[in-house]
């Protein structure tokens, strides 16, 4: 699975194109968000958005029409690629993030949220909100906002996110970066950056590998199993003690009773 951050900028960013992600997997090409200047070349199979009432939705609809598509907030399926829409806390109307699953990996596209989504824990890659740096941005009326980079990094690490990528960079974050600040956990994406997510290959001789199994079952791989030295077993007749001679038993019985008779006669006399 190949992922390209077509843009990583927040609204009216002075440095970056609008945040958007291109997903290429198993022959499918899916665009997420984006906007003017953040449109991938070539065909697209779907164009998904995280906010159907966003400031750039009008521009996105025009761009999608040039690809013969209509942008929507929903799921997408193709072969083993699974993309699901999940709710996030961001503003007063419904907004979403996307969980992308393929090749045994899980990727999250969540460019805007006010609370870090707990369901994103333990994901392999999370493309996250990065509009604010040290403190969140609150909307007027307390209807949501943007979580800051420092809080996002702390919560993502606590929830077991393997790789955190900030892909929606606002002015407060850009100012912090210009002063040499760095997030305590995670990294910052760039426009046009490519990320490759693939299933981790098994070690050549590791547990469960074919070579490991064949080493334990050599006759299954066409090789003759090595002979194992065994202790020779005695024949059953050789292990038994020889049968007693019946004539010897009779002779011992006669002698025993003869001795008892002589002893009794002596005592009577």
């Amino acid at each position: 699975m190949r992922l390209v951050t077509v843009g990583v900028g927040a609204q009216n960013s002075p440095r970056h194109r609008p945040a958007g992600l291109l997903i290429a997997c198993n022959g499918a090409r899916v665009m997420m968000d984006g906007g003017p200047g953040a449109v991938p070349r070539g065909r697209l199979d779907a164009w998904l958005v995280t906010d159907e009432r966003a400031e750039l939705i009008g521009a996105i609809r025009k761009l999608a029409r040039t690809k013969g598509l209509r942008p929507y907030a929903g799921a997408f399926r193709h072969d083993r690629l699974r993309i699901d829409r999940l709710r996030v806390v961001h503003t007063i109307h419904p907004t979403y993030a996307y969980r992308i699953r393929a090749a045994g990996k899980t990727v999250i596209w969540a460019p805007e949220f006010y609370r870090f989504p707990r369901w994103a824990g333990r994901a392999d890659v999370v493309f996250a909100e990065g509009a604010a740096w040290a403190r969140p941005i609150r909307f007027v009326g307390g209807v949501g906002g943007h979580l800051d980079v420092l809080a996002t990094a702390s919560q993502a690490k606590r929830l077991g996110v393997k790789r955190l990528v900030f892909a929606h960079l606002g002015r407060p974050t850009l100012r912090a970066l210009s002063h040499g600040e760095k997030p305590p956990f995670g990294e910052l994406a760039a426009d046009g950056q490519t990320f490759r997510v693939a299933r981790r290959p098994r070690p050549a001789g590791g547990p469960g590998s074919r070579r490991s199994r064949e080493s334990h079952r050599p006759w299954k791989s066409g090789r003759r199993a090595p002979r194992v030295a065994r202790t020779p077993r005695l024949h059953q007749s050789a292990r038994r003690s020889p049968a007693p001679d019946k004539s010897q038993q009779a002779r011992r019985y006669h002698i025993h009773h003869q001795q008892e008779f002589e002893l009794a006669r002596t005592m009577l006399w």
Side-chain angles (χ1 to χ4, degrees):
M1 179 166 52
R2 185 170 62 91
L3 309 166
V4 181
T5 49
V6 182
V8 297
Q11 178 72 10
N12 298 322
S13 173
R15 299 185 190 176
H16 301 286
R17 297 190 291 267
L21 183 72
L22 172 66
I23 304 161
C25 180
N26 296 332
R29 288 167 53 87
V30 180
M31 180 62 188
M32 291 186 174
D33 293 328
V39 182
R41 297 179 180 177
R43 67 168 182 84
L44 291 174
D45 298 294
W47 197 316
L48 307 180
V49 294
T50 55
D51 186 352
E52 292 182 307
R53 295 171 59 182
E55 293 87 348
L56 294 177
I57 191 63
I60 292 175
R61 289 194 180 107
K62 291 180 181 179
L63 295 169
R65 279 198 293 269
T66 64
K67 302 284 186 180
L69 299 172
R70 179 182 62 84
Y72 68 96
F76 179 82
R77 298 285 188 273
H78 175 78
D79 195 14
R80 297 183 180 181
L81 174 63
R82 299 289 184 270
I83 302 177
D84 295 299
R85 182 193 72 179
L86 296 167
R87 287 287 298 268
V88 294
V89 177
H90 173 52
T91 186
I92 193 171
H93 59 265
T95 50
Y96 308 97
Y98 287 95
R99 181 169 57 198
I100 307 148
R101 291 179 290 186
K105 299 291 185 178
T106 300
V107 177
I108 306 297
W109 173 251
E112 292 183 295
F113 53 77
Y114 187 61
R115 296 177 184 172
F116 188 88
R118 296 185 61 86
W119 49 260
R122 299 186 179 277
D124 295 286
V125 183
V126 174
F127 292 95
E129 167 78 84
W133 180 257
R135 56 185 180 182
I137 298 174
R138 294 181 174 87
F139 293 156
V140 177
V143 294
H146 299 274
L147 190 63
D148 56 283
V149 166
L150 300 184
T152 298
S154 175
Q155 295 180 32
K157 185 175 182 179
R158 179 172 54 84
L159 292 174
V161 172
K162 297 179 179 63
R163 186 177 184 182
L164 178 65
V165 181
F166 296 100
H168 183 256
L169 310 181
R171 293 175 183 270
T173 298
L174 297 178
R175 284 195 297 268
L177 295 175
S178 65
H179 289 89
E181 298 284 348
K182 294 182 180 180
F185 174 68
E187 60 193 277
L188 292 101
D191 292 347
Q193 184 175 352
T194 299
F195 300 80
R196 296 188 182 276
V197 181
R199 188 187 299 274
R200 181 178 298 177
R202 291 179 178 177
S209 65
R210 182 175 180 181
R211 183 178 298 178
S212 176
R213 293 194 300 269
E214 290 180 354
S215 65
H216 289 84
R217 297 182 297 174
W219 57 91
K220 295 290 184 179
S221 61
R223 300 196 300 266
R224 181 176 295 178
R227 292 188 174 184
V228 179
R230 296 181 179 179
T231 304
R233 298 176 60 183
L234 297 176
H235 192 271
Q236 186 175 5
S237 60
R239 294 200 303 268
R240 293 177 179 176
S241 58
D245 189 358
K246 293 184 178 180
S247 60
Q248 292 181 359
Q249 288 183 346
R251 190 178 300 109
R252 294 194 195 99
Y253 180 83
H254 176 74
I255 294 173
H256 176 71
H257 281 272
Q258 183 68 25
Q259 290 176 349
E260 290 184 347
F261 175 78
E262 293 293 338
L263 179 61
R265 188 174 64 174
T266 305
M267 292 177 63
L268 288 175
W269 287 99

